[in-house]
Amino acid sequence: MRVLTVGGGGREHAAVEAFHRSGAEIYAVMKNANPGIIKRSKGYKLTDEKNVQAVCEYAKECNIELAFVGPEAPLEVGLVDALEAIGIKCASPTKAAARIETSKTFMRELLKKHRIKGNLGFASFDNAKDTEAYIKTLKYDIVVKPVGLTGGKGVKVQGEHLHSHDDIMRYVHEIFDNNIGGAGVIIEEKAVGEEFTQMVFCDGTNIRPMPLVQDHKRAYEGDVGPNTGGMGSYSDADHLLPFVTGSERIEGHKIIQRIVNALRKDGCVYRGPMFGQFMLTTEGPKLIEINARFGDPEAMNVLPILRTSFTDVCLAMAAGTLKFDVEFEKKATVCKYVVPEGYGVKSKAGLPISVDEAGVKNSGAVAYFANVDIVDDKLVTGTSRSVGVVGIADGIEWAEGNCERALNYVKGDAIFVRHDIGKRELVQKRVDHMNKIRGGKK
Ligand code: AMP
Ligand code: GLY
């Protein structure tokens, strides 16, 4: 099977490894020279992933049978529609279906229209005056977001980043004045609880869940600092999380299944991996966002333990025939992203970084290259996350130990890691927080 992968990050490297394990012949398009992806590819092209024409030409040239698009930006410009128009099957959603991620208003309106549980109070605006008038009517804390895409970095939460009405309005003005996200402002009710990620494979109708994962958005240890694309994540051997019950997980599945049904009813069939970000509250899981793709880093937790052939799963998603079970090993994983110093504010990029892959492997871990590049035959950091290191073992604590051992084999001049991710203290803090808001009961 000749497969095209689009994207050059850690998520795409994890996908490429999974395609490789399941016997695919891989061709890749990416903007940076990711050495992990290059190693597994029969051919590759370095180009802007949003350059639809260039990607389609390369796909034709390579006689591609199946395409997989990792990041959201090429989905938003209709890469899947263009690939399908030239007869290539895609395990990723069309532009219309991807609006579930690319427009936060579209997502909230869809839930409202179809009366899907898990929605939050919201309203979107195209000017600051109306936004302010609305905020003044609210009795609850809010979250301010640009409606469009911002790479996971545009969200500000009252009580965390915004401490007064002035703070809120300053940020609202900043979004309008700089046209951040390009589509106005959405004000959402703030959900309080613990977050978890439920990803599923979807063929337009059927979903198959992946293990739950918890990401860490804040840049610094102790969950402080600016929001980032995600500094690291963990999953447990039973595919739940220590603070999520089986029935709460099923509630999350039901919400995602209803979203998939609603999209189909409204004429935009969704095929591909779907990512549900939930806040587990005292009233059950509330939807924070849906992404039209794998999460990054979350893909690095689940793909290395996928037992079923990834190529078969992608073919079935593309063809609408995902009727078989999708299995994962009963293993825990802890992923910590090595990022450039300053990431989240202003990255020190273009500096050397190296990975001793044998050392990583002997530590019981895998390393996925992300936003790195090859310049004058040397591996250097970009401005975004550099290398994801994933420890895999029978429990979170052991997986975390493996990850830490493996991190010694990643060397760089100006790199940074959130070492607290997956450590017993931080996981326990999540459990205690959830127990506290549940009133002492699990
Ligand atoms: P997003 O990019 O939409 O995932 O938002 C980034 C982060 O902001 C989330 O992971 C949450 O921690 C927080 N967040 C976003 N929306 C809400 C909300 N409605 N209530 C509480 N926290 C939120
Ligand atoms: N880790 C969150 C995301 O991929 O958007």
Side-chain angles (χ1 to χ4, degrees):
M1 176 65 48
R2 295 162 76 88
V3 171
L4 179 76
T5 64
V6 178
R11 163 185 51 210
E12 290 78 26
H13 183 192
V16 161
E17 289 295 336
F19 276 126
H20 175 76
R21 283 203 312 273
S22 55
E25 187 174 305
I26 299 158
Y27 296 82
V29 171
M30 54 197 155
K31 53 181 183 298
N32 53 304
N34 180 315
I37 295 177
I38 291 173
K39 184 174 157 193
R40 298 299 192 201
S41 301
K42 186 110 191 247
Y44 69 93
K45 185 178 177 70
L46 297 181
T47 186
D48 179 355
E49 296 139 12
K50 297 195 295 300
N51 186 341
V52 172
Q53 199 187 338
V55 180
C56 287
E57 274 165 19
Y58 184 64
K60 264 198 280 189
E61 211 178 283
C62 303
N63 281 319
I64 294 301
E65 296 162 274
L66 173 72
F68 166 82
V69 183
E72 60 277 24
L75 297 173
E76 189 181 32
V77 296
L79 178 59
V80 167
D81 308 63
L83 288 166
E84 285 181 348
I86 55 169
I88 296 172
K89 293 192 201 92
C90 294
S92 297
T94 59
K95 179 175 177 166
R99 280 179 301 165
I100 196 71
E101 166 167 10
T102 59
S103 167
K104 295 193 191 319
T105 305
F106 175 84
M107 185 276 273
R108 294 270 169 226
E109 293 287 357
L110 186 89
L111 265 74
K112 191 169 160 187
K113 175 177 165 197
H114 293 269
R115 299 169 187 275
I116 298 171
K117 234 176 119 176
N119 209 0
L120 293 166
F122 75 100
S124 34
F125 301 94
D126 60 10
N127 68 79
K129 192 162 164 268
D130 292 347
T131 314
E132 180 159 34
Y134 172 73
I135 289 170
K136 284 190 167 156
T137 67
L138 297 176
K139 303 262 182 303
Y140 47 69
D141 277 1
I142 58 167
V143 178
V144 182
K145 306 181 180 187
V147 170
L149 293 178
T150 54
K153 299 169 194 96
V155 173
K156 295 210 174 172
V157 179
Q158 189 171 2
E160 291 176 33
H161 313 92
L162 307 168
H163 298 282
S164 63
H165 182 74
D166 284 354
D167 279 359
I168 291 171
M169 285 317 298
R170 213 172 298 123
Y171 188 49
V172 167
H173 281 289
E174 193 185 323
I175 296 175
F176 284 118
D177 293 350
N178 302 305
N179 199 22
I180 300 175
V185 162
I186 180 164
I187 302 297
E188 286 182 7
E189 174 187 353
K190 176 181 172 182
V192 178
E194 275 299 323
E195 280 182 271
F196 68 89
T197 299
Q198 172 71 73
M199 298 185 287
V200 304
F201 295 109
C202 179
D203 73 349
T205 308
N206 305 293
I207 62 170
R208 292 290 180 270
M210 305 184 214
L212 294 185
V213 184
Q214 189 177 44
D215 186 16
H216 297 70
K217 293 261 182 196
R218 297 304 201 90
Y220 312 131
E221 289 183 7
D223 291 321
V224 294
N227 269 331
T228 68
M231 294 295 292
S233 44
Y234 64 94
S235 68
D236 208 349
D238 60 3
H239 302 163
L240 286 167
L241 288 166
F243 54 86
V244 182
T245 65
S247 62
E248 286 163 342
R249 181 185 189 193
I250 287 168
E251 271 186 70
H253 294 172
K254 284 188 185 153
I255 293 170
I256 295 181
Q257 182 70 64
R258 286 186 193 129
I259 290 171
V260 169
N261 297 348
L263 283 167
R264 197 180 55 246
K265 258 191 220 142
D266 285 0
C268 38
V269 174
Y270 186 101
R271 298 202 175 97
M274 186 187 270
F275 167 113
Q277 179 77 32
F278 290 95
M279 185 74 80
L280 182 56
T281 71
T282 48
E283 292 157 26
K286 299 282 181 188
L287 198 61
I288 298 295
E289 66 168 352
I290 292 281
N291 290 333
R293 52 178 174 81
F294 281 109
D296 187 348
E298 290 92 332
M300 296 188 285
N301 296 93
V302 300
L303 287 172
I305 59 165
L306 175 64
R307 237 198 226 135
T308 311
S309 154
F310 186 52
T311 305
D312 287 352
V313 173
C314 285
L315 272 174
M317 286 196 287
T321 54
L322 189 60
K323 301 215 170 88
F324 50 86
D325 285 345
V326 178
E327 285 180 36
F328 292 84
E329 286 170 49
K330 298 271 183 209
K331 293 279 185 197
T333 66
V334 172
C335 172
K336 304 194 197 196
Y337 245 132
V338 177
V339 304
E341 263 177 28
Y343 174 63
V345 185
K346 192 170 188 308
S347 301
K348 281 191 200 160
L351 296 168
I353 185 163
S354 68
V355 180
D356 171 352
E357 289 184 68
V360 170
K361 192 170 171 206
N362 291 335
S363 309
V366 281
Y368 294 114
F369 291 96
N371 186 235
V372 289
D373 213 342
I374 301 170
V375 177
D376 298 333
D377 287 335
K378 289 203 181 66
L379 193 65
V380 295
T381 54
T383 54
S384 194
R385 300 167 291 184
S386 314
V387 178
V389 175
V390 188
I392 303 173
D394 290 335
I396 296 172
E397 267 186 82
W398 294 284
E400 196 275 335
N402 291 358
C403 177
E404 280 296 326
R405 259 192 306 284
L407 281 166
N408 293 319
Y409 296 95
V410 181
K411 301 251 190 294
D413 286 354
I415 56 177
F416 174 76
V417 176
R418 256 193 76 170
H419 289 287
D420 60 345
I421 293 168
K423 284 222 156 64
R424 185 208 285 253
E425 300 75 38
L426 191 57
V427 175
Q428 191 57 44
K429 197 172 124 191
R430 310 280 193 236
V431 173
D432 292 345
H433 178 221
M434 210 52 233
N435 283 343
K436 188 169 160 218
I437 67 169
R438 286 184 213 268
K441 311 181 284 285
K442 176 160 180 181

